[in-house]
Amino acid sequence: MNPTGTHPLADTVPRTDHTPQPTRARAATPSPSRLLAGWSAGGRADDLTTHRRRYGPLPHLTADELVDLVHAAGLRGRGGAGFPTSVKLRAVADRRRRPVVVANGCEGEPASCKDAALLDCAPHLVLDGIELVARALGAESAILAIHDGPDGPGPRLRTLAAQRQGPVPVRVRGVPARYVASEETALVNFLSGGPATPTTSPPRPTDRGVGGAPTLVDNIETLAHIALIARNGAPWFRELGTPDLPGTLLVSIDGAVHTPGVVEVAAGTTVRAAIELCGGPSGHVQAVLSGGYGGAWLPATAIETPLTHTAMRAAGAALGVPTLLPLPSGACGLAHTARLVRFLADQSAGQCGPCLFGLPAVAADLAAIAAGSRDARHAHDRLRHRLDLVTGRGACALPDGAARLTRTALDVFSADLRDHLTGRPCLAAGAPMIFPLEFR
Amino acid sequence: MIKRLRVDPIACAAHGLCADLLPDHIDLDEWGYPILADGRTGRPLGRDDQRYLLNTIFLDDYCTWALRVPERQLQAAAELLLAAVSALRPDDAAFAAWRLPALLAAAAAGGGDGVEEEEEEEEEDEDDDDDGDDDEDDTDESSDDSSSSSSSEVAGGSAPAGWRPLIEVVEDTAATS
C-alpha cells in the first residue's frame, strides 16, 4: 500500500492545464477521434460555440426514434456491464410516468479516469447526450452525477450546464467518492435522499428509481456516444468497432507504461495496441489487470486479445470499465491482488454478510499466501472455498468482482503461487503497490 | 410450476432460521448466512410436508419475524409458529389468509408466551429491498396454482405498509412446469 497517500505515478502523469482542476487524465492522441475530437483538434475542451460548430446542431428525436436508432447502432453501455443501451431506453420509454435521466460520471473504479477525462475534454458532448435523451423521453428532470470535491469539476460543469438553456435543465450532483456509491442502485438511493449504498433489485431503477420515477441511469460516455449517433447515424457509428461492440471506447491505461492516460480506440483494438498508444510498456510485462480492481488478470500471453466484452471474457478476463494496468515482471501479482482485495473489502458498504465477512477473509487468506507464511497452504484451501461463498451473494457486484480478481490471480500467477505455498514468496512481495488506490 | 427462493442479502441478519425450516434447501455459510441449494438437487417439498406449508405460507414472513422477536424468545416463538402451522392443512380456508402478523396477534390475544412484535421497525431497512437472484426451485403439482400463488403473494392483507420479505418465494417466469 502506498504510505504517502498519493498516486505513486502522479509525477509522471501529465496533467491537462486547460481547466482549473487537476486530473490524472491525459487524453493521448488516439487513432480514431470521436468523443475526443474537440480535444484532439484544439488541445482544450470546446466551448459551446466551437462545440456546436464542430459537431453541428443537436437533433431532436422522439422516444421511439431514439430507441430504434440506438438499437440500430448496437450501442452498449460504457459503464462496465456492456448492456445494450436500447433495451434500457425502451424499458424507461414504456413507462407511463415521466422518467428521470441520470448521467453517471462518478467513476467509482479507482483505476479508471476516462469519465473524468471525458468531462474534462468534451463536457458539451456529455451534456448533449443528456439533453437529447431527456427530451426524447420527456424526462421530468436530468441529473449529472459526479464525484465532487474541493477541486472537483462541479462548479465548472454547473456553469457549462447553465449556458445551454436546454428543455430539461441538468442538475449537477456530487456523490460521495466510494467504490460502491456510483453503482446504479446506490446512485438512485442517494439521489432519492438516502445513503449512497446499493439496494436490492428488483425494483430496477428503470421501474422505480429516483423519487419513485422510472429512471434511466447511463454512463456519461454512453450518452456522449448517443449525441454523436443522433447526428451521424447508426451506420456511421458501426464503421468502427466490432459487430458485437460497435464504436469507440475510452480506455484508461496506467501501471507499467511510459505515458499513462486515457485513449480512445475502436472497440476490438488489441490490448497490446492500446498499451502502445500510451507509449508502450515501461518494462517487461507479466500480466495486465483489466476491467479495474474488481476486474481480472490477463496473462501477458493473451496481450493480443481484442477489447470487447466477449473476447476478454473468452480469455478469462473482463473488459468491464475499460482499464488496462500492465504489471511489470519484477512485481508480485499475488501481493498486488491481496492489497487490491483488501481495498475492495474496505470499500464494502457492509450491508450483505457474505461481502462484509467474506471479503476481509479472502483478503487475509491472500495476504497469508503472498507473505508465504506457514499457514499459506491452509489459507489457500480456505480461499478456494470462500471464493465460492462470496460469489453472487451480494446485492451489488462488488463481492463477485473481488472473487473474480482473486480467481484469475490464482490462475495467471500459478507458478508464483506454488513458490509462495512452499514458503518461498517472491522478493517483491513486500514492495509497494504500483497501481493507484486513492480516489481522486 | 417452479418456485425459486430468493434471499434479500441486505436485510438478512444471519439468524439462520431458514436453514432450520428448509434443511434440504438451505445451508448456512461459515458466517451464518443462507446458501440456497440448487433446486434440482434438493428434494421438492410435497404438499403434505409440514415444511411445504411453512414455506408457502410463512417463509417470506419468517426472517422478518425473527428480526422482531427478542433473541431469548426465539425458541419459544418458533415452537409457537410450528404448532400453529402443523394444525393447518393445504385445503384449509385459513391457508391463504393466515399471515404472520395475524398469527402474532392471535398468539398475543390467546396469552401465548411473550411474542412481541413491532410492525414499524422493519420498514427502514426494508424499503431498499429485495432481491438478487438465486436458485432453488421447488416443483410442485400444477393443480394447486390458486392456493399457492395467492399465499405466496407478498402483500397479504395483514402485512404492514412498506413491509417486504427477506426470503421470498417467487414464481420463476422461465419455468415450464
Side-chain angles (χ1 to χ4, degrees), chain A residues 111-112 251-257 261 263 269-275 288-292 298 307 312 318-319 321-327 435:
Chain A
S112 176
V251 186
S252 308
I253 303 180
D254 204 333
V257 292
V263 295
T269 301
T270 64
V271 171
R272 177 201 294 278
I275 290 174
V288 177
L289 179 59
S290 160
L298 183 76
L307 291 168
M312 291 295 276
L319 181 61
V321 177
T323 304
L324 300 174
L325 300 170
L327 185 74
F435 299 149

Side-chain angles (χ1 to χ4, degrees), chain A residues 338-428:
Chain A
R339 292 186 186 119
L340 292 171
V341 174
R342 182 66 246 176
F343 169 84
L344 294 174
D346 291 342
Q347 291 296 320
S348 169
Q351 299 190 114
C352 305
C355 183
L356 174 64
F357 296 103
L359 295 197
V362 167
D365 290 340
L366 269 170
I369 295 170
S373 72
R374 216 176 305 172
D375 187 42
R377 276 181 180 284
H378 287 123
H380 179 246
D381 294 342
R382 277 197 307 269
L383 176 61
R384 295 278 183 182
H385 177 64
R386 284 172 168 169
L387 289 177
D388 293 336
L389 287 185
V390 302
T391 305
R393 294 181 63 223
C396 75
L398 174 62
D400 304 13
R404 180 177 53 191
L405 174 72
T406 307
R407 281 200 185 90
T408 57
L410 297 178
D411 275 358
V412 171
F413 307 114
S414 59
D416 258 5
L417 178 64
R418 277 193 297 278
D419 287 345
H420 280 258
L421 292 184
T422 48
R424 292 173 294 153
C426 38
L427 292 175

Side-chain angles (χ1 to χ4, degrees), chain B residues 6-169:
Chain B
R6 307 189 299 191
V7 176
D8 179 342
I10 292 179
C12 177
H15 279 84
L17 288 170
C18 54
D20 288 347
L21 181 65
L22 293 169
D24 297 341
H25 298 261
I26 298 178
D27 265 341
L28 299 181
D29 67 18
E30 59 181 292
W31 308 288
Y33 292 87
I35 302 171
L36 304 185
D38 180 348
R40 279 166 299 235
T41 62
R43 186 172 62 84
L45 298 179
R47 293 205 64 194
D48 296 337
D49 194 318
Q50 186 184 74
R51 286 171 301 133
Y52 171 83
L53 294 176
L54 271 171
N55 180 353
T56 313
I57 307 178
F58 290 114
L59 189 61
D60 44 5
D61 294 292
Y62 207 69
C63 281
T64 309
W65 165 76
L67 291 175
R68 292 175 182 166
V69 176
E71 200 76 39
R72 66 196 149 75
Q73 293 174 5
L74 269 180
Q75 184 61 37
E79 282 164 14
L80 176 74
L81 178 62
L82 281 166
V85 170
S86 61
L88 282 175
R89 301 299 311 162
D91 52 356
D92 197 314
F95 182 94
W98 271 41
R99 307 294 303 177
L100 192 70
L103 179 71
L104 290 170
D113 54 22
V115 176
E116 296 162 7
E117 78 285 2
E118 305 95 62
E119 313 253 294
E120 251 64 306
E121 210 165 67
E122 209 51 38
E123 295 181 3
E124 306 98 301
D125 45 75
E126 291 299 48
D127 34 347
D128 13 274
D129 215 359
D130 166 46
D131 160 284
D133 22 4
D134 229 332
D135 32 75
E136 168 4 6
D137 313 335
D138 73 54
T139 319
D140 51 48
E141 263 58 86
S142 47
S143 61
D144 68 339
D145 276 356
S146 63
S147 66
S148 58
S149 61
S150 64
S151 59
S152 61
E153 207 61 64
V154 170
S158 47
W163 176 90
R164 303 283 300 275
L166 275 76
I167 292 196
E168 186 180 2
V169 182

Side-chain angles (χ1 to χ4, degrees), chain A residues 1-3 330-332 335-336 339 426-434:
Chain A
M1 200 91 48
N2 171 19
C332 175
H336 269 68
R339 292 186 186 119
C426 38
L427 292 175
M433 179 83 175
I434 70 155

Side-chain angles (χ1 to χ4, degrees), chain A residues 158-255:
Chain A
R158 282 185 189 94
T159 309
L160 295 179
Q163 288 169 3
R164 299 173 53 101
Q165 300 166 334
V168 185
V170 177
R171 276 182 300 147
V172 178
R173 292 281 308 269
V175 175
R178 276 183 75 85
Y179 191 81
V180 295
S182 50
E183 189 269 343
E184 189 170 89
T185 60
L187 190 54
V188 164
N189 203 17
F190 178 76
L191 295 174
S192 305
T197 51
T199 61
T200 39
S201 100
R204 290 178 224 293
T206 47
D207 292 332
R208 208 177 73 202
V210 177
T215 300
L216 180 80
V217 181
D218 265 333
N219 175 261
I220 55 168
E221 183 189 337
T222 311
L223 292 163
H225 280 298
I226 292 179
L228 292 179
I229 293 168
R231 289 175 166 105
N232 303 309
W236 167 86
F237 185 69
R238 286 183 174 277
E239 282 168 15
L240 294 174
T242 69
D244 187 50
L245 185 63
T248 60
L249 302 172
L250 293 178
V251 186
S252 308
I253 303 180
D254 204 333

